[in-house]
PDB file of all heavy atoms in Angstrom:
ATOM      1  N   PRO A1580     124.569 150.551 100.042  1.00  0.00           N
ATOM      2  CA  PRO A1580     124.889 149.925  98.751  1.00  0.00           C
ATOM      3  C   PRO A1580     124.482 150.770  97.561  1.00  0.00           C
ATOM      4  O   PRO A1580     124.809 150.421  96.425  1.00  0.00           O
ATOM      5  CB  PRO A1580     124.093 148.613  98.795  1.00  0.00           C
ATOM      6  CG  PRO A1580     122.935 148.921  99.699  1.00  0.00           C
ATOM      7  CD  PRO A1580     123.470 149.862 100.735  1.00  0.00           C
ATOM      8  N   TYR A1581     123.758 151.855  97.786  1.00  0.00           N
ATOM      9  CA  TYR A1581     123.259 152.687  96.705  1.00  0.00           C
ATOM     10  C   TYR A1581     123.911 154.065  96.731  1.00  0.00           C
ATOM     11  O   TYR A1581     124.358 154.547  97.763  1.00  0.00           O
ATOM     12  CB  TYR A1581     121.740 152.865  96.801  1.00  0.00           C
ATOM     13  CG  TYR A1581     120.942 151.590  96.637  1.00  0.00           C
ATOM     14  CD1 TYR A1581     120.117 151.127  97.652  1.00  0.00           C
ATOM     15  CD2 TYR A1581     120.994 150.865  95.448  1.00  0.00           C
ATOM     16  CE1 TYR A1581     119.371 149.973  97.505  1.00  0.00           C
ATOM     17  CE2 TYR A1581     120.248 149.713  95.293  1.00  0.00           C
ATOM     18  CZ  TYR A1581     119.432 149.273  96.316  1.00  0.00           C
ATOM     19  OH  TYR A1581     118.695 148.133  96.153  1.00  0.00           O
ATOM     20  N   ASP A1582     123.907 154.689  95.570  1.00  0.00           N
ATOM     21  CA  ASP A1582     124.311 156.082  95.438  1.00  0.00           C
ATOM     22  C   ASP A1582     123.518 156.668  94.281  1.00  0.00           C
ATOM     23  O   ASP A1582     123.342 156.007  93.251  1.00  0.00           O
ATOM     24  CB  ASP A1582     125.818 156.196  95.158  1.00  0.00           C
ATOM     25  CG  ASP A1582     126.285 157.641  95.172  1.00  0.00           C
ATOM     26  OD1 ASP A1582     125.539 158.494  95.692  1.00  0.00           O
ATOM     27  OD2 ASP A1582     127.378 157.922  94.654  1.00  0.00           O
ATOM     28  N   ASP A1583     123.013 157.862  94.466  1.00  0.00           N
ATOM     29  CA  ASP A1583     122.268 158.531  93.404  1.00  0.00           C
ATOM     30  C   ASP A1583     123.235 159.387  92.611  1.00  0.00           C
ATOM     31  O   ASP A1583     123.708 160.411  93.084  1.00  0.00           O
ATOM     32  CB  ASP A1583     121.144 159.384  93.994  1.00  0.00           C
ATOM     33  CG  ASP A1583     120.209 159.924  92.909  1.00  0.00           C
ATOM     34  OD1 ASP A1583     120.452 159.631  91.721  1.00  0.00           O
ATOM     35  OD2 ASP A1583     119.241 160.617  93.264  1.00  0.00           O
ATOM     36  N   ASN A1584     123.534 158.957  91.391  1.00  0.00           N
ATOM     37  CA  ASN A1584     124.472 159.678  90.534  1.00  0.00           C
ATOM     38  C   ASN A1584     123.798 160.710  89.648  1.00  0.00           C
ATOM     39  O   ASN A1584     124.447 161.269  88.759  1.00  0.00           O
ATOM     40  CB  ASN A1584     125.257 158.691  89.667  1.00  0.00           C
ATOM     41  CG  ASN A1584     126.107 157.761  90.500  1.00  0.00           C
ATOM     42  OD1 ASN A1584     126.000 156.543  90.422  1.00  0.00           O
ATOM     43  ND2 ASN A1584     126.971 158.320  91.324  1.00  0.00           N
ATOM     44  N   GLY A1585     122.512 160.960  89.879  1.00  0.00           N
ATOM     45  CA  GLY A1585     121.822 162.036  89.185  1.00  0.00           C
ATOM     46  C   GLY A1585     121.577 161.743  87.725  1.00  0.00           C
ATOM     47  O   GLY A1585     121.658 160.615  87.239  1.00  0.00           O
ATOM     48  N   GLY A1586     121.293 162.820  87.002  1.00  0.00           N
ATOM     49  CA  GLY A1586     120.978 162.699  85.586  1.00  0.00           C
ATOM     50  C   GLY A1586     119.484 162.745  85.341  1.00  0.00           C
ATOM     51  O   GLY A1586     118.678 162.416  86.213  1.00  0.00           O
ATOM     52  N   THR A1587     119.119 163.177  84.154  1.00  0.00           N
ATOM     53  CA  THR A1587     117.716 163.332  83.775  1.00  0.00           C
ATOM     54  C   THR A1587     117.488 162.712  82.412  1.00  0.00           C
ATOM     55  O   THR A1587     118.331 162.856  81.511  1.00  0.00           O
ATOM     56  CB  THR A1587     117.316 164.817  83.751  1.00  0.00           C
ATOM     57  OG1 THR A1587     117.632 165.412  85.014  1.00  0.00           O
ATOM     58  CG2 THR A1587     115.835 164.980  83.475  1.00  0.00           C
ATOM     59  N   ALA A1588     116.366 162.034  82.269  1.00  0.00           N
ATOM     60  CA  ALA A1588     115.971 161.435  80.995  1.00  0.00           C
ATOM     61  C   ALA A1588     114.522 161.800  80.699  1.00  0.00           C
ATOM     62  O   ALA A1588     113.685 161.849  81.617  1.00  0.00           O
ATOM     63  CB  ALA A1588     116.139 159.921  81.022  1.00  0.00           C
ATOM     64  N   ALA A1589     114.214 162.051  79.437  1.00  0.00           N
ATOM     65  CA  ALA A1589     112.860 162.409  79.016  1.00  0.00           C
ATOM     66  C   ALA A1589     112.587 161.808  77.650  1.00  0.00           C
ATOM     67  O   ALA A1589     113.524 161.537  76.868  1.00  0.00           O
ATOM     68  CB  ALA A1589     112.663 163.924  78.989  1.00  0.00           C
ATOM     69  N   ALA A1590     111.307 161.583  77.357  1.00  0.00           N
ATOM     70  CA  ALA A1590     110.918 161.012  76.066  1.00  0.00           C
ATOM     71  C   ALA A1590     109.537 161.520  75.684  1.00  0.00           C
ATOM     72  O   ALA A1590     108.682 161.762  76.552  1.00  0.00           O
ATOM     73  CB  ALA A1590     110.926 159.488  76.117  1.00  0.00           C
ATOM     74  N   VAL A1591     109.332 161.679  74.380  1.00  0.00           N
ATOM     75  CA  VAL A1591     108.054 162.139  73.827  1.00  0.00           C
ATOM     76  C   VAL A1591     107.692 161.225  72.670  1.00  0.00           C
ATOM     77  O   VAL A1591     108.526 160.959  71.790  1.00  0.00           O
ATOM     78  CB  VAL A1591     108.129 163.599  73.343  1.00  0.00           C
ATOM     79  CG1 VAL A1591     106.815 164.011  72.692  1.00  0.00           C
ATOM     80  CG2 VAL A1591     108.460 164.537  74.504  1.00  0.00           C
ATOM     81  N   ALA A1592     106.453 160.727  72.665  1.00  0.00           N
ATOM     82  CA  ALA A1592     105.965 159.846  71.605  1.00  0.00           C
ATOM     83  C   ALA A1592     105.007 160.616  70.714  1.00  0.00           C
ATOM     84  O   ALA A1592     104.068 161.261  71.197  1.00  0.00           O
ATOM     85  CB  ALA A1592     105.269 158.622  72.194  1.00  0.00           C
ATOM     86  N   GLY A1593     105.250 160.568  69.401  1.00  0.00           N
ATOM     87  CA  GLY A1593     104.357 161.182  68.427  1.00  0.00           C
ATOM     88  C   GLY A1593     103.660 160.121  67.585  1.00  0.00           C
ATOM     89  O   GLY A1593     103.804 158.916  67.816  1.00  0.00           O
ATOM     90  N   SER A1594     102.910 160.580  66.619  1.00  0.00           N
ATOM     91  CA  SER A1594     102.160 159.645  65.779  1.00  0.00           C
ATOM     92  C   SER A1594     103.071 158.784  64.920  1.00  0.00           C
ATOM     93  O   SER A1594     102.723 157.648  64.592  1.00  0.00           O
ATOM     94  CB  SER A1594     101.175 160.418  64.888  1.00  0.00           C
ATOM     95  OG  SER A1594     101.883 161.367  64.089  1.00  0.00           O
ATOM     96  N   ASP A1595     104.235 159.292  64.550  1.00  0.00           N
ATOM     97  CA  ASP A1595     105.156 158.510  63.722  1.00  0.00           C
ATOM     98  C   ASP A1595     106.614 158.718  64.141  1.00  0.00           C
ATOM     99  O   ASP A1595     107.524 158.466  63.356  1.00  0.00           O
ATOM    100  CB  ASP A1595     104.982 158.873  62.254  1.00  0.00           C
ATOM    101  CG  ASP A1595     105.231 160.351  61.980  1.00  0.00           C
ATOM    102  OD1 ASP A1595     105.362 161.117  62.961  1.00  0.00           O
ATOM    103  OD2 ASP A1595     105.293 160.743  60.802  1.00  0.00           O
ATOM    104  N   TYR A1596     106.854 159.152  65.347  1.00  0.00           N
ATOM    105  CA  TYR A1596     108.220 159.371  65.820  1.00  0.00           C
ATOM    106  C   TYR A1596     108.282 159.180  67.326  1.00  0.00           C
ATOM    107  O   TYR A1596     107.249 159.148  68.027  1.00  0.00           O
ATOM    108  CB  TYR A1596     108.710 160.780  65.458  1.00  0.00           C
ATOM    109  CG  TYR A1596     107.973 161.891  66.174  1.00  0.00           C
ATOM    110  CD1 TYR A1596     108.372 162.326  67.433  1.00  0.00           C
ATOM    111  CD2 TYR A1596     106.868 162.512  65.582  1.00  0.00           C
ATOM    112  CE1 TYR A1596     107.691 163.326  68.097  1.00  0.00           C
ATOM    113  CE2 TYR A1596     106.195 163.516  66.234  1.00  0.00           C
ATOM    114  CZ  TYR A1596     106.611 163.922  67.500  1.00  0.00           C
ATOM    115  OH  TYR A1596     105.930 164.920  68.156  1.00  0.00           O
ATOM    116  N   CYS A1597     109.486 159.080  67.832  1.00  0.00           N
ATOM    117  CA  CYS A1597     109.735 159.033  69.273  1.00  0.00           C
ATOM    118  C   CYS A1597     111.046 159.749  69.536  1.00  0.00           C
ATOM    119  O   CYS A1597     112.053 159.483  68.869  1.00  0.00           O
ATOM    120  CB  CYS A1597     109.808 157.589  69.778  1.00  0.00           C
ATOM    121  SG  CYS A1597     109.985 157.456  71.580  1.00  0.00           S
ATOM    122  N   ILE A1598     111.036 160.663  70.502  1.00  0.00           N
ATOM    123  CA  ILE A1598     112.210 161.456  70.845  1.00  0.00           C
ATOM    124  C   ILE A1598     112.667 161.056  72.244  1.00  0.00           C
ATOM    125  O   ILE A1598     111.870 161.037  73.184  1.00  0.00           O
ATOM    126  CB  ILE A1598     111.900 162.964  70.792  1.00  0.00           C
ATOM    127  CG1 ILE A1598     111.403 163.349  69.398  1.00  0.00           C
ATOM    128  CG2 ILE A1598     113.122 163.782  71.175  1.00  0.00           C
ATOM    129  CD1 ILE A1598     110.888 164.768  69.322  1.00  0.00           C
TER     130      ILE A1598
END
Side-chain angles (χ1 to χ4, degrees):
Y1581 296 119
D1582 186 16
D1583 189 0
N1584 297 124
T1587 306
V1591 176
S1594 58
D1595 59 351
Y1596 67 87
C1597 185
I1598 302 172

